[in-house]
PDB file of all heavy atoms in Angstrom:
ATOM      1  N   TYR A 154      17.645 -70.973  26.736  1.00 96.00           N
ATOM      2  CA  TYR A 154      19.018 -70.798  26.321  1.00 96.00           C
ATOM      3  C   TYR A 154      19.972 -71.859  26.854  1.00 96.00           C
ATOM      4  O   TYR A 154      20.241 -71.693  28.033  1.00 96.00           O
ATOM      5  CB  TYR A 154      19.527 -69.383  26.689  1.00 96.00           C
ATOM      6  CG  TYR A 154      18.985 -68.204  26.173  1.00 96.00           C
ATOM      7  CD1 TYR A 154      17.818 -67.674  26.960  1.00 96.00           C
ATOM      8  CD2 TYR A 154      19.113 -67.663  24.992  1.00 96.00           C
ATOM      9  CE1 TYR A 154      17.084 -66.517  26.431  1.00 96.00           C
ATOM     10  CE2 TYR A 154      18.459 -66.502  24.513  1.00 96.00           C
ATOM     11  CZ  TYR A 154      17.502 -65.928  25.301  1.00 96.00           C
ATOM     12  OH  TYR A 154      16.926 -64.817  24.838  1.00 96.00           O
ATOM     13  N   TYR A 155      20.327 -72.909  26.282  1.00 96.00           N
ATOM     14  CA  TYR A 155      20.125 -73.307  24.752  1.00 96.00           C
ATOM     15  C   TYR A 155      19.636 -74.749  24.986  1.00 96.00           C
ATOM     16  O   TYR A 155      20.061 -75.455  25.747  1.00 96.00           O
ATOM     17  CB  TYR A 155      21.399 -73.134  23.965  1.00 96.00           C
ATOM     18  CG  TYR A 155      21.839 -71.677  23.915  1.00 96.00           C
ATOM     19  CD1 TYR A 155      22.835 -71.140  24.730  1.00 96.00           C
ATOM     20  CD2 TYR A 155      21.152 -70.811  23.031  1.00 96.00           C
ATOM     21  CE1 TYR A 155      23.219 -69.844  24.580  1.00 96.00           C
ATOM     22  CE2 TYR A 155      21.581 -69.530  22.889  1.00 96.00           C
ATOM     23  CZ  TYR A 155      22.537 -68.975  23.764  1.00 96.00           C
ATOM     24  OH  TYR A 155      22.916 -67.727  23.648  1.00 96.00           O
ATOM     25  N   PRO A 156      18.885 -75.237  24.043  1.00 96.00           N
ATOM     26  CA  PRO A 156      18.246 -76.561  24.085  1.00 96.00           C
ATOM     27  C   PRO A 156      19.289 -77.709  23.857  1.00 96.00           C
ATOM     28  O   PRO A 156      18.963 -78.791  24.204  1.00 96.00           O
ATOM     29  CB  PRO A 156      16.985 -76.541  23.162  1.00 96.00           C
ATOM     30  CG  PRO A 156      17.545 -75.458  22.117  1.00 96.00           C
ATOM     31  CD  PRO A 156      18.290 -74.512  22.862  1.00 96.00           C
ATOM     32  N   THR A 157      20.241 -77.409  23.152  1.00 98.00           N
ATOM     33  CA  THR A 157      21.243 -78.561  22.770  1.00 98.00           C
ATOM     34  C   THR A 157      22.742 -78.102  22.831  1.00 98.00           C
ATOM     35  O   THR A 157      23.002 -76.918  22.370  1.00 98.00           O
ATOM     36  CB  THR A 157      20.953 -79.084  21.292  1.00 98.00           C
ATOM     37  OG1 THR A 157      19.630 -79.411  21.260  1.00 98.00           O
ATOM     38  CG2 THR A 157      21.948 -80.313  20.976  1.00 98.00           C
ATOM     39  N   ALA A 158      23.660 -78.727  23.491  1.00 98.00           N
ATOM     40  CA  ALA A 158      24.962 -78.427  23.528  1.00 98.00           C
ATOM     41  C   ALA A 158      25.615 -78.260  22.159  1.00 98.00           C
ATOM     42  O   ALA A 158      25.175 -79.030  21.259  1.00 98.00           O
ATOM     43  CB  ALA A 158      25.798 -79.332  24.358  1.00 98.00           C
ATOM     44  N   LEU A 159      26.503 -77.259  21.871  1.00 98.00           N
ATOM     45  CA  LEU A 159      26.896 -77.133  20.607  1.00 98.00           C
ATOM     46  C   LEU A 159      27.554 -78.395  19.909  1.00 98.00           C
ATOM     47  O   LEU A 159      27.411 -78.609  18.657  1.00 98.00           O
ATOM     48  CB  LEU A 159      27.935 -75.959  20.427  1.00 98.00           C
ATOM     49  CG  LEU A 159      27.328 -74.559  20.617  1.00 98.00           C
ATOM     50  CD1 LEU A 159      28.368 -73.506  20.728  1.00 98.00           C
ATOM     51  CD2 LEU A 159      26.306 -74.307  19.474  1.00 98.00           C
ATOM     52  N   PRO A 160      28.419 -79.042  20.644  1.00 98.00           N
ATOM     53  CA  PRO A 160      29.066 -80.328  19.877  1.00 98.00           C
ATOM     54  C   PRO A 160      28.098 -81.333  19.458  1.00 98.00           C
ATOM     55  O   PRO A 160      28.438 -82.145  18.641  1.00 98.00           O
ATOM     56  CB  PRO A 160      29.892 -80.773  21.132  1.00 98.00           C
ATOM     57  CG  PRO A 160      30.106 -79.753  22.127  1.00 98.00           C
ATOM     58  CD  PRO A 160      28.928 -79.012  21.939  1.00 98.00           C
ATOM     59  N   LEU A 161      26.832 -81.368  19.985  1.00 98.00           N
ATOM     60  CA  LEU A 161      25.808 -82.372  19.554  1.00 98.00           C
ATOM     61  C   LEU A 161      24.877 -81.723  18.628  1.00 98.00           C
ATOM     62  O   LEU A 161      24.022 -82.447  18.241  1.00 98.00           O
ATOM     63  CB  LEU A 161      25.086 -82.810  20.908  1.00 98.00           C
ATOM     64  CG  LEU A 161      25.999 -83.425  21.866  1.00 98.00           C
ATOM     65  CD1 LEU A 161      25.091 -83.909  23.123  1.00 98.00           C
ATOM     66  CD2 LEU A 161      26.853 -84.500  21.438  1.00 98.00           C
ATOM     67  N   GLN A 162      25.113 -80.465  18.148  1.00 98.00           N
ATOM     68  CA  GLN A 162      24.261 -79.887  17.097  1.00 98.00           C
ATOM     69  C   GLN A 162      24.401 -80.616  15.697  1.00 98.00           C
ATOM     70  O   GLN A 162      25.706 -80.993  15.534  1.00 98.00           O
ATOM     71  CB  GLN A 162      24.438 -78.369  16.956  1.00 98.00           C
ATOM     72  CG  GLN A 162      24.181 -77.575  18.221  1.00 98.00           C
ATOM     73  CD  GLN A 162      22.576 -77.231  18.108  1.00 98.00           C
ATOM     74  OE1 GLN A 162      21.909 -77.567  17.240  1.00 98.00           O
ATOM     75  NE2 GLN A 162      22.134 -76.474  19.120  1.00 98.00           N
ATOM     76  N   PRO A 163      23.463 -80.847  14.916  1.00 98.00           N
ATOM     77  CA  PRO A 163      23.804 -81.512  13.662  1.00 98.00           C
ATOM     78  C   PRO A 163      24.889 -80.764  12.791  1.00 98.00           C
ATOM     79  O   PRO A 163      25.528 -81.488  12.111  1.00 98.00           O
ATOM     80  CB  PRO A 163      22.395 -81.313  12.893  1.00 98.00           C
ATOM     81  CG  PRO A 163      21.387 -81.308  14.071  1.00 98.00           C
ATOM     82  CD  PRO A 163      22.076 -80.517  15.225  1.00 98.00           C
ATOM     83  N   ALA A 164      24.949 -79.443  12.963  1.00 98.00           N
ATOM     84  CA  ALA A 164      25.904 -78.749  12.124  1.00 98.00           C
ATOM     85  C   ALA A 164      27.382 -79.130  12.498  1.00 98.00           C
ATOM     86  O   ALA A 164      28.265 -78.962  11.537  1.00 98.00           O
ATOM     87  CB  ALA A 164      25.786 -77.290  12.442  1.00 98.00           C
ATOM     88  N   PHE A 165      27.625 -79.679  13.762  1.00 98.00           N
ATOM     89  CA  PHE A 165      28.866 -80.065  14.155  1.00 98.00           C
ATOM     90  C   PHE A 165      29.093 -81.627  14.210  1.00 98.00           C
ATOM     91  O   PHE A 165      30.071 -82.127  14.741  1.00 98.00           O
ATOM     92  CB  PHE A 165      29.336 -79.443  15.323  1.00 98.00           C
ATOM     93  CG  PHE A 165      29.385 -77.933  15.340  1.00 98.00           C
ATOM     94  CD1 PHE A 165      28.501 -77.122  15.979  1.00 98.00           C
ATOM     95  CD2 PHE A 165      30.457 -77.345  14.630  1.00 98.00           C
ATOM     96  CE1 PHE A 165      28.542 -75.763  15.934  1.00 98.00           C
ATOM     97  CE2 PHE A 165      30.507 -75.950  14.477  1.00 98.00           C
ATOM     98  CZ  PHE A 165      29.561 -75.168  15.153  1.00 98.00           C
ATOM     99  N   ALA A 166      28.143 -82.297  13.540  1.00 98.00           N
ATOM    100  CA  ALA A 166      28.275 -83.841  13.490  1.00 98.00           C
ATOM    101  C   ALA A 166      29.527 -84.324  12.974  1.00 98.00           C
ATOM    102  O   ALA A 166      30.065 -85.356  13.423  1.00 98.00           O
ATOM    103  CB  ALA A 166      27.046 -84.342  12.844  1.00 98.00           C
ATOM    104  N   TYR A 167      30.150 -83.495  12.042  1.00 98.00           N
ATOM    105  CA  TYR A 167      31.304 -84.042  11.345  1.00 98.00           C
ATOM    106  C   TYR A 167      32.616 -84.238  12.402  1.00 98.00           C
ATOM    107  O   TYR A 167      33.600 -84.808  12.158  1.00 98.00           O
ATOM    108  CB  TYR A 167      31.715 -83.058  10.264  1.00 98.00           C
ATOM    109  CG  TYR A 167      32.211 -81.739  10.739  1.00 98.00           C
ATOM    110  CD1 TYR A 167      33.533 -81.332  10.836  1.00 98.00           C
ATOM    111  CD2 TYR A 167      31.296 -80.562  10.958  1.00 98.00           C
ATOM    112  CE1 TYR A 167      34.061 -80.140  11.243  1.00 98.00           C
ATOM    113  CE2 TYR A 167      31.775 -79.358  11.260  1.00 98.00           C
ATOM    114  CZ  TYR A 167      33.013 -79.212  11.424  1.00 98.00           C
ATOM    115  OH  TYR A 167      33.469 -77.907  11.892  1.00 98.00           O
ATOM    116  N   LEU A 168      32.396 -83.545  13.563  1.00 98.00           N
ATOM    117  CA  LEU A 168      33.393 -83.648  14.466  1.00 98.00           C
ATOM    118  C   LEU A 168      33.356 -84.985  15.398  1.00 98.00           C
ATOM    119  O   LEU A 168      34.371 -85.254  16.003  1.00 98.00           O
ATOM    120  CB  LEU A 168      33.377 -82.360  15.472  1.00 98.00           C
ATOM    121  CG  LEU A 168      33.663 -81.080  14.886  1.00 98.00           C
ATOM    122  CD1 LEU A 168      33.478 -79.907  15.946  1.00 98.00           C
ATOM    123  CD2 LEU A 168      35.232 -80.948  14.319  1.00 98.00           C
ATOM    124  N   GLY A 169      32.270 -85.606  15.299  1.00 98.00           N
ATOM    125  CA  GLY A 169      32.124 -86.974  15.837  1.00 98.00           C
ATOM    126  C   GLY A 169      31.938 -87.000  17.408  1.00 98.00           C
ATOM    127  O   GLY A 169      32.116 -88.090  17.966  1.00 98.00           O
ATOM    128  N   HIS A 170      31.285 -86.002  17.987  1.00 98.00           N
ATOM    129  CA  HIS A 170      31.135 -86.072  19.484  1.00 98.00           C
ATOM    130  C   HIS A 170      29.861 -86.839  19.731  1.00 98.00           C
ATOM    131  O   HIS A 170      28.999 -86.816  18.828  1.00 98.00           O
ATOM    132  CB  HIS A 170      30.926 -84.606  19.932  1.00 98.00           C
ATOM    133  CG  HIS A 170      32.229 -83.754  19.839  1.00 98.00           C
ATOM    134  ND1 HIS A 170      33.392 -84.065  20.533  1.00 98.00           N
ATOM    135  CD2 HIS A 170      32.545 -82.602  19.110  1.00 98.00           C
ATOM    136  CE1 HIS A 170      34.358 -83.224  20.258  1.00 98.00           C
ATOM    137  NE2 HIS A 170      33.794 -82.287  19.396  1.00 98.00           N
ATOM    138  N   GLN A 171      29.797 -87.385  20.834  1.00 98.00           N
ATOM    139  CA  GLN A 171      28.709 -88.178  21.330  1.00 98.00           C
ATOM    140  C   GLN A 171      28.125 -87.674  22.684  1.00 98.00           C
ATOM    141  O   GLN A 171      28.838 -87.055  23.355  1.00 98.00           O
ATOM    142  CB  GLN A 171      29.228 -89.630  21.528  1.00 98.00           C
ATOM    143  CG  GLN A 171      29.813 -90.325  20.332  1.00 98.00           C
ATOM    144  CD  GLN A 171      28.955 -90.583  19.163  1.00 98.00           C
ATOM    145  OE1 GLN A 171      27.836 -90.878  19.426  1.00 98.00           O
ATOM    146  NE2 GLN A 171      29.420 -90.379  17.944  1.00 98.00           N
ATOM    147  N   ALA A 172      26.976 -88.077  22.868  1.00 98.00           N
ATOM    148  CA  ALA A 172      26.303 -87.598  24.179  1.00 98.00           C
ATOM    149  C   ALA A 172      27.133 -88.184  25.283  1.00 98.00           C
ATOM    150  O   ALA A 172      27.539 -89.256  25.264  1.00 98.00           O
ATOM    151  CB  ALA A 172      24.840 -88.302  24.145  1.00 98.00           C
ATOM    152  N   GLY A 173      27.337 -87.381  26.220  1.00 98.00           N
ATOM    153  CA  GLY A 173      28.061 -87.645  27.326  1.00 98.00           C
ATOM    154  C   GLY A 173      29.469 -87.122  27.378  1.00 98.00           C
ATOM    155  O   GLY A 173      30.185 -87.274  28.290  1.00 98.00           O
ATOM    156  N   ASP A 174      29.977 -86.616  26.166  1.00 98.00           N
ATOM    157  CA  ASP A 174      31.293 -86.086  26.000  1.00 98.00           C
ATOM    158  C   ASP A 174      31.476 -84.778  26.808  1.00 98.00           C
ATOM    159  O   ASP A 174      32.612 -84.417  27.292  1.00 98.00           O
ATOM    160  CB  ASP A 174      31.593 -85.769  24.599  1.00 98.00           C
ATOM    161  CG  ASP A 174      31.805 -87.151  23.736  1.00 98.00           C
ATOM    162  OD1 ASP A 174      31.977 -88.149  24.474  1.00 98.00           O
ATOM    163  OD2 ASP A 174      31.903 -86.991  22.565  1.00 98.00           O
ATOM    164  N   PHE A 175      30.341 -84.014  27.109  1.00 98.00           N
ATOM    165  CA  PHE A 175      30.370 -82.786  27.709  1.00 98.00           C
ATOM    166  C   PHE A 175      29.268 -82.697  28.805  1.00 98.00           C
ATOM    167  O   PHE A 175      28.251 -82.041  28.606  1.00 98.00           O
ATOM    168  CB  PHE A 175      30.182 -81.622  26.671  1.00 98.00           C
ATOM    169  CG  PHE A 175      31.250 -81.625  25.513  1.00 98.00           C
ATOM    170  CD1 PHE A 175      31.000 -82.391  24.462  1.00 98.00           C
ATOM    171  CD2 PHE A 175      32.455 -80.914  25.757  1.00 98.00           C
ATOM    172  CE1 PHE A 175      32.008 -82.387  23.379  1.00 98.00           C
ATOM    173  CE2 PHE A 175      33.434 -81.020  24.787  1.00 98.00           C
ATOM    174  CZ  PHE A 175      33.160 -81.677  23.619  1.00 98.00           C
ATOM    175  N   PRO A 176      29.542 -83.494  29.768  1.00 98.00           N
ATOM    176  CA  PRO A 176      28.401 -83.742  30.801  1.00 98.00           C
ATOM    177  C   PRO A 176      27.821 -82.443  31.416  1.00 98.00           C
ATOM    178  O   PRO A 176      26.573 -82.271  31.569  1.00 98.00           O
ATOM    179  CB  PRO A 176      29.117 -84.630  31.778  1.00 98.00           C
ATOM    180  CG  PRO A 176      30.549 -84.455  31.735  1.00 98.00           C
ATOM    181  CD  PRO A 176      30.726 -84.071  30.172  1.00 98.00           C
ATOM    182  N   ASN A 177      28.625 -81.499  31.830  1.00 98.00           N
ATOM    183  CA  ASN A 177      28.098 -80.200  32.354  1.00 98.00           C
ATOM    184  C   ASN A 177      27.317 -79.439  31.327  1.00 98.00           C
ATOM    185  O   ASN A 177      26.198 -78.971  31.679  1.00 98.00           O
ATOM    186  CB  ASN A 177      29.178 -79.311  32.946  1.00 98.00           C
ATOM    187  CG  ASN A 177      29.936 -80.083  34.089  1.00 98.00           C
ATOM    188  OD1 ASN A 177      29.359 -80.991  34.597  1.00 98.00           O
ATOM    189  ND2 ASN A 177      31.167 -79.668  34.296  1.00 98.00           N
ATOM    190  N   ALA A 178      27.765 -79.195  30.199  1.00 98.00           N
ATOM    191  CA  ALA A 178      27.052 -78.383  29.144  1.00 98.00           C
ATOM    192  C   ALA A 178      25.689 -79.153  28.858  1.00 98.00           C
ATOM    193  O   ALA A 178      24.653 -78.556  28.752  1.00 98.00           O
ATOM    194  CB  ALA A 178      27.867 -78.303  27.936  1.00 98.00           C
ATOM    195  N   GLU A 179      25.714 -80.486  28.645  1.00 98.00           N
ATOM    196  CA  GLU A 179      24.508 -81.230  28.446  1.00 98.00           C
ATOM    197  C   GLU A 179      23.528 -81.157  29.492  1.00 98.00           C
ATOM    198  O   GLU A 179      22.277 -81.134  29.261  1.00 98.00           O
ATOM    199  CB  GLU A 179      24.861 -82.665  28.039  1.00 98.00           C
ATOM    200  CG  GLU A 179      25.736 -82.808  26.815  1.00 98.00           C
ATOM    201  CD  GLU A 179      26.365 -84.216  26.581  1.00 98.00           C
ATOM    202  OE1 GLU A 179      25.608 -85.206  26.825  1.00 98.00           O
ATOM    203  OE2 GLU A 179      27.615 -84.321  26.419  1.00 98.00           O
ATOM    204  N   ALA A 180      23.982 -81.130  30.786  1.00 98.00           N
ATOM    205  CA  ALA A 180      23.044 -81.132  31.935  1.00 98.00           C
ATOM    206  C   ALA A 180      22.359 -79.850  31.876  1.00 98.00           C
ATOM    207  O   ALA A 180      21.174 -79.630  32.222  1.00 98.00           O
ATOM    208  CB  ALA A 180      23.816 -81.303  33.181  1.00 98.00           C
ATOM    209  N   ILE A 181      23.115 -78.643  31.597  1.00 98.00           N
ATOM    210  CA  ILE A 181      22.571 -77.340  31.749  1.00 98.00           C
ATOM    211  C   ILE A 181      21.536 -77.157  30.590  1.00 98.00           C
ATOM    212  O   ILE A 181      20.481 -76.535  30.839  1.00 98.00           O
ATOM    213  CB  ILE A 181      23.655 -76.298  31.589  1.00 98.00           C
ATOM    214  CG1 ILE A 181      24.566 -76.271  32.767  1.00 98.00           C
ATOM    215  CG2 ILE A 181      23.012 -74.924  31.398  1.00 98.00           C
ATOM    216  CD1 ILE A 181      25.831 -75.420  32.713  1.00 98.00           C
ATOM    217  N   THR A 182      21.603 -77.814  29.433  1.00 98.00           N
ATOM    218  CA  THR A 182      20.699 -77.665  28.459  1.00 98.00           C
ATOM    219  C   THR A 182      19.300 -78.296  28.811  1.00 98.00           C
ATOM    220  O   THR A 182      18.396 -77.786  28.182  1.00 98.00           O
ATOM    221  CB  THR A 182      21.122 -78.268  27.071  1.00 98.00           C
ATOM    222  OG1 THR A 182      21.334 -79.679  27.271  1.00 98.00           O
ATOM    223  CG2 THR A 182      22.421 -77.744  26.623  1.00 98.00           C
ATOM    224  N   GLY A 183      19.342 -79.163  29.712  1.00 97.00           N
ATOM    225  CA  GLY A 183      18.114 -79.767  30.213  1.00 97.00           C
ATOM    226  C   GLY A 183      17.431 -79.031  31.337  1.00 97.00           C
ATOM    227  O   GLY A 183      16.414 -79.359  31.793  1.00 97.00           O
ATOM    228  N   ARG A 184      18.181 -77.968  31.924  1.00 98.00           N
ATOM    229  CA  ARG A 184      17.721 -77.207  33.120  1.00 98.00           C
ATOM    230  C   ARG A 184      17.579 -75.740  32.865  1.00 98.00           C
ATOM    231  O   ARG A 184      16.917 -75.182  33.802  1.00 98.00           O
ATOM    232  CB  ARG A 184      18.678 -77.558  34.225  1.00 98.00           C
ATOM    233  CG  ARG A 184      18.775 -78.941  34.819  1.00 98.00           C
ATOM    234  CD  ARG A 184      19.926 -79.212  35.628  1.00 98.00           C
ATOM    235  NE  ARG A 184      20.024 -78.176  36.743  1.00 98.00           N
ATOM    236  CZ  ARG A 184      19.488 -78.164  37.882  1.00 98.00           C
ATOM    237  NH1 ARG A 184      18.600 -79.204  38.248  1.00 98.00           N
ATOM    238  NH2 ARG A 184      19.700 -77.270  38.799  1.00 98.00           N
ATOM    239  N   SER A 185      18.240 -75.185  32.028  1.00 98.00           N
ATOM    240  CA  SER A 185      18.220 -73.798  31.879  1.00 98.00           C
ATOM    241  C   SER A 185      16.809 -73.148  31.408  1.00 98.00           C
ATOM    242  O   SER A 185      16.270 -73.697  30.514  1.00 98.00           O
ATOM    243  CB  SER A 185      19.330 -73.214  30.913  1.00 98.00           C
ATOM    244  OG  SER A 185      18.952 -73.714  29.577  1.00 98.00           O
ATOM    245  N   LEU A 186      16.456 -72.023  32.022  1.00 98.00           N
ATOM    246  CA  LEU A 186      15.212 -71.396  31.634  1.00 98.00           C
ATOM    247  C   LEU A 186      15.464 -69.906  31.982  1.00 98.00           C
ATOM    248  O   LEU A 186      15.892 -69.468  33.015  1.00 98.00           O
ATOM    249  CB  LEU A 186      14.137 -71.877  32.472  1.00 98.00           C
ATOM    250  CG  LEU A 186      12.717 -71.280  32.039  1.00 98.00           C
ATOM    251  CD1 LEU A 186      12.278 -71.831  30.647  1.00 98.00           C
ATOM    252  CD2 LEU A 186      11.622 -71.735  32.913  1.00 98.00           C
ATOM    253  N   ALA A 187      15.108 -69.048  30.993  1.00 98.00           N
ATOM    254  CA  ALA A 187      15.346 -67.517  31.080  1.00 98.00           C
ATOM    255  C   ALA A 187      13.860 -67.022  31.430  1.00 98.00           C
ATOM    256  O   ALA A 187      12.975 -67.203  30.721  1.00 98.00           O
ATOM    257  CB  ALA A 187      15.854 -66.997  29.961  1.00 98.00           C
ATOM    258  N   LEU A 188      13.851 -66.205  32.427  1.00 98.00           N
ATOM    259  CA  LEU A 188      12.685 -65.515  32.861  1.00 98.00           C
ATOM    260  C   LEU A 188      12.685 -64.002  32.346  1.00 98.00           C
ATOM    261  O   LEU A 188      13.750 -63.490  32.076  1.00 98.00           O
ATOM    262  CB  LEU A 188      12.567 -65.496  34.439  1.00 98.00           C
ATOM    263  CG  LEU A 188      12.723 -66.799  35.120  1.00 98.00           C
ATOM    264  CD1 LEU A 188      12.668 -66.639  36.666  1.00 98.00           C
ATOM    265  CD2 LEU A 188      11.537 -67.737  34.685  1.00 98.00           C
ATOM    266  N   PRO A 189      11.603 -63.392  32.164  1.00 98.00           N
ATOM    267  CA  PRO A 189      11.542 -62.075  31.631  1.00 98.00           C
ATOM    268  C   PRO A 189      12.273 -61.151  32.484  1.00 98.00           C
ATOM    269  O   PRO A 189      12.193 -61.176  33.691  1.00 98.00           O
ATOM    270  CB  PRO A 189      10.022 -61.781  31.612  1.00 98.00           C
ATOM    271  CG  PRO A 189       9.351 -63.068  31.673  1.00 98.00           C
ATOM    272  CD  PRO A 189      10.161 -64.025  32.349  1.00 98.00           C
ATOM    273  N   LEU A 190      13.112 -60.315  31.892  1.00 98.00           N
ATOM    274  CA  LEU A 190      13.784 -59.286  32.579  1.00 98.00           C
ATOM    275  C   LEU A 190      14.299 -58.195  31.558  1.00 98.00           C
ATOM    276  O   LEU A 190      15.100 -58.516  30.654  1.00 98.00           O
ATOM    277  CB  LEU A 190      15.068 -59.831  33.391  1.00 98.00           C
ATOM    278  CG  LEU A 190      15.750 -58.765  34.339  1.00 98.00           C
ATOM    279  CD1 LEU A 190      16.568 -59.552  35.444  1.00 98.00           C
ATOM    280  CD2 LEU A 190      16.832 -57.934  33.560  1.00 98.00           C
ATOM    281  N   TYR A 191      13.826 -57.079  31.677  1.00 97.00           N
ATOM    282  CA  TYR A 191      14.287 -55.879  30.953  1.00 97.00           C
ATOM    283  C   TYR A 191      14.066 -54.617  31.798  1.00 97.00           C
ATOM    284  O   TYR A 191      13.282 -54.563  32.648  1.00 97.00           O
ATOM    285  CB  TYR A 191      13.556 -55.798  29.550  1.00 97.00           C
ATOM    286  CG  TYR A 191      12.130 -55.830  29.630  1.00 97.00           C
ATOM    287  CD1 TYR A 191      11.367 -54.701  29.620  1.00 97.00           C
ATOM    288  CD2 TYR A 191      11.337 -57.033  29.747  1.00 97.00           C
ATOM    289  CE1 TYR A 191      10.005 -54.650  29.727  1.00 97.00           C
ATOM    290  CE2 TYR A 191      10.024 -57.063  29.798  1.00 97.00           C
ATOM    291  CZ  TYR A 191       9.358 -55.883  29.788  1.00 97.00           C
ATOM    292  OH  TYR A 191       7.971 -55.871  29.914  1.00 97.00           O
TER     293      TYR A 191
END
């Protein structure tokens, strides 16, 4: 959760964002991992 920051998703390409515009969000997408818990 989640593999790509929202501004860089194809669905929002019309907004014109580029890699590096949201450094913290982009970094988390490369590090986040959810472990089983219920």
Side-chain angles (χ1 to χ4, degrees):
Y154 297 94
Y155 297 98
T157 305
L159 287 179
L161 303 183
Q162 293 276 2
F165 296 111
Y167 70 95
L168 294 173
H170 296 296
Q171 304 293 324
D174 287 349
F175 302 89
N177 294 337
E179 294 169 49
I181 292 174
T182 62
R184 291 170 48 86
S185 68
L186 187 68
L188 305 179
L190 188 155
Y191 53 93

